[in-house]
Amino acid sequence: MSFRSLLVFAAALLCLPAFAGPLSKRPIFAPQKGGIVPGQIKVKLTLQAQIEVARTAIRNRVDLRIDSLPAGSQLINTIGSTGWTLWSIPAGADPRAVSKSLMGDPAVAYAEPVYRLILLDLAQPNDYDWGQIETDQTNPEVVLDFSVDGDPTAQFPRLWHLDDDLAYAAWNQYPGTYYTAATKPANAPMVAIIDSGIDTGHPDFMNAGGFTTDVSGGGQLKLSLSKQFKNGAVFAAGNVNDENGHGTHVAGLCLASANNGMTSPDAANPHGVPGLGYNAQGMILKVFGGSSTGTDADAAAAMFYAVDNGADILSLSIGEREGFSQIFQDATTYAWQKGCLVVAAANENGSGGGSIGPIYPAACSGALAVTANGPDYTSAQATYAGTGPYVDIAAPGGDVLFTDTHELIQFVWSTAMQTSGELNQLGPDVLYPPYHLNYAYLAGTSMACPQVAGAASLYYGKFNLRRTQGHVNIRAYRALERTAARVYNV
């Protein structure tokens, strides 16, 4: 079986009904409420294609060609400065079919029909980092300028991963509001984040008007159910305070509160992010201590605990690749049979990805294995992201992009510990860009995994699904894959 890279799109996911039929009967592109404009298509060029276009005077339009477009197609316009173009296609051509056919073209990063707009009631969130743009002037750690001839400054949105997830469109479908401490539902879907713990005092896990990160005080975290695990069981003397930084970053991508303003403890360096699944509540299960090591016994114990204590979705940005782990398989099977959705990060390698073998629990039967894409819906397999027949879906994980004049370290921005931990102690020689306190950039399948869990929580929330209702995990698993964009086959 070949690996299919499917990029999760939260907005398309929420267009599905609560239960849907066979995979073969669904289009790749989910229908939009406003309908499709006939005779047109939108195409986003890859970064390399954008460079080539810039060299051939795109203003004249005559030099821009996409060979896989139907005969008679014509460029109408370029849309902004990020590689999007608008084309006319012959009358009678199905925009969805044309979009699908373009996805294998090396010059095309993404293609989709032109959708009619509908009025949206949800304002843009007021989280500080929403809409912020990284440039070599604002952040030379991630946008490195090599130009010597005055080329325009390279740039990218700080929260590009939420753009690629179509997060804002999804939130307009559900929940259609930004929760406050007073309005957050008490019975929100429960996501268990099984990782290195969390900074329990980070203000981005408090909803507007809240006074604590716990759900009892307007927060996002169910701290009464959050536990540390040691020697294969709940560690009674432990706590879920993050000593590493990984868990806080991962949790923010899924669970950070939305529209709660500037939440950085450092007023001189303001920040604030929304999590894709801000409608959910988080059960934090710590399986890594201060040594950055854990065991499959502790992680499996956390999985069993999460299932027994009401988690609907399990998010595991962890794994072991020494060989098949029966205890992970048993824990995954237990979760699956109880109706829980198990989302797990796929394998990676810092010196290059590709087919680098399975990792568990991602490769366990019943787990939804997540690999990483860089921006523009392209795989990060050339640098670190693993492929293989066990991989089910991809989500934004970050990558390094090069142009003739710039290097863009387009990693994923999220919450970070407010105090020193292992990641920020590694230093720039080990971790680049440097891991900062409060908020930071990191890359990996670890960052992709909680975004899929967050998208799943939106699906659970919209259709009021809970794991006790029977086979909801199968429905969510299929819905995620069916509404994701098919990126490539290898």
Side-chain angles (χ1 to χ4, degrees):
M1 181 174 65
S2 65
F3 161 54
R4 298 170 300 144
S5 176
L6 301 170
L7 180 68
V8 60
F9 281 125
L13 172 67
L14 298 183
C15 289
L16 278 186
F19 182 78
L23 291 172
S24 59
K25 294 184 179 180
R26 290 289 302 180
I28 287 177
F29 296 92
Q32 303 292 305
K33 292 180 180 179
I36 293 175
V37 176
Q40 292 186 0
I41 191 173
K42 305 190 299 288
V43 179
K44 184 171 185 177
L45 304 177
T46 62
L47 185 62
Q48 186 59 43
Q50 292 177 49
I51 294 171
E52 293 301 320
V53 165
R55 290 171 176 158
T56 56
I58 193 172
R59 294 183 188 86
N60 296 330
R61 298 183 182 172
V62 295
D63 293 312
L64 181 56
R65 245 183 11 260
I66 299 178
D67 294 336
S68 51
L69 275 168
S73 300
Q74 293 186 336
L75 176 68
I76 297 175
N77 241 321
T78 57
I79 306 173
S81 60
T82 60
W84 280 102
T85 55
L86 179 66
W87 297 77
S88 66
I89 57 176
D94 182 355
R96 279 183 291 222
V98 174
S99 300
K100 180 180 177 180
S101 70
L102 286 174
M103 294 305 290
D105 192 305
V108 175
Y110 192 69
E112 64 181 6
V114 177
Y115 297 114
R116 299 187 191 280
L117 291 179
I118 57 173
L119 292 175
L120 302 177
D121 296 325
L122 198 62
Q124 299 280 343
N126 66 7
D127 303 81
Y128 183 85
D129 289 308
W130 185 270
Q132 296 295 317
I133 302 296
E134 300 285 26
T135 71
D136 58 334
Q137 279 124 31
T138 63
N139 195 343
E141 289 179 345
V142 295
V143 180
L144 284 70
D145 187 357
F146 308 140
S147 63
V148 294
D149 54 1
D151 279 2
T153 298
Q155 61 184 35
F156 65 86
R158 183 173 294 160
L159 300 184
W160 65 272
H161 62 283
L162 292 176
D163 290 341
D164 278 11
D165 288 335
L166 298 184
Y168 177 61
W171 299 334
N172 273 281
Q173 293 181 51
Y174 179 84
T177 186
Y178 300 117
Y179 295 121
T180 66
T183 62
K184 180 69 182 281
N187 64 338
M190 180 82 72
V191 180
I193 304 292
I194 302 175
D195 211 286
S196 65
I198 197 170
D199 184 334
T200 58
H202 199 295
D204 226 345
F205 296 102
M206 279 190 283
N207 290 294
F211 59 88
T212 175
T213 60
D214 187 70
V215 293
S216 64
Q220 294 285 85
L221 310 178
K222 188 75 170 179
L223 294 179
S224 63
L225 294 178
S226 299
K227 304 292 181 182
Q228 183 178 0
F229 290 78
K230 190 173 182 179
N231 297 324
V234 172
F235 182 34
N239 59 66
V240 297
N241 294 329
D242 196 356
E243 301 169 67
N244 177 278
H246 188 270
T248 302
H249 195 272
V250 164
L253 291 167
C254 179
L255 295 169
S257 179
N259 206 54
N260 59 344
M262 187 276 287
T263 56
S264 174
D266 180 5
N269 189 27
H271 289 296
V273 299
L276 180 58
Y278 69 82
N279 67 303
Q281 56 183 322
M283 177 192 298
I284 307 302
L285 304 180
K286 179 179 176 179
V287 298
F288 288 92
S291 62
S292 294
T293 58
T295 69
D296 59 353
D298 291 342
M303 294 173 70
F304 288 123
Y305 173 91
V307 175
D308 291 340
N309 286 275
D312 299 295
I313 301 161
L314 281 60
S315 179
L316 297 106
S317 293
I318 60 175
E320 66 88 15
R321 53 189 177 193
E322 294 301 317
F324 174 73
S325 173
Q326 185 64 56
I327 193 171
F328 268 147
Q329 182 58 68
D330 288 354
T332 302
T333 301
Y334 183 78
W336 181 260
Q337 291 175 342
K338 294 287 188 178
C340 298
L341 180 67
V342 178
V343 185
N347 209 347
E348 60 184 41
N349 187 325
S351 60
S355 183
I356 51 180
I359 190 170
Y360 299 92
C364 290
S365 176
L368 181 69
V370 185
T371 193
N373 279 341
D376 287 346
Y377 319 105
T378 56
S379 171
Q381 68 162 311
T383 47
Y384 69 89
T387 63
Y390 73 98
V391 175
D392 298 291
I393 201 166
D399 211 347
V400 180
L401 307 177
F402 295 91
T403 72
D404 289 344
T405 58
H406 293 86
E407 177 182 355
L408 282 70
I409 304 176
Q410 205 158 333
F411 288 0
V412 181
W413 183 257
S414 183
T415 47
M417 292 168 57
Q418 301 171 88
T419 56
S420 182
E422 289 180 343
L423 284 182
N424 67 289
Q425 292 171 356
L426 292 174
D429 295 334
V430 177
L431 198 64
Y432 194 88
Y435 178 93
H436 295 289
L437 299 182
N438 305 320
Y439 294 84
Y441 275 112
L442 289 175
T445 60
S446 287
M447 284 64 252
C449 177
Q451 293 176 68
V452 177
S457 76
L458 291 173
Y459 183 77
Y460 275 61
K462 178 176 181 179
F463 298 112
N464 196 28
L465 302 176
R466 296 297 182 271
R467 66 96 187 266
T468 55
Q469 295 168 338
H471 305 301
V472 295
N473 51 356
I474 299 175
R475 293 151 65 177
Y477 193 116
R478 296 174 69 196
L480 282 160
E481 285 201 325
R482 292 172 56 195
T483 55
R486 192 177 304 278
V487 177
Y488 67 87
N489 291 278
V490 295

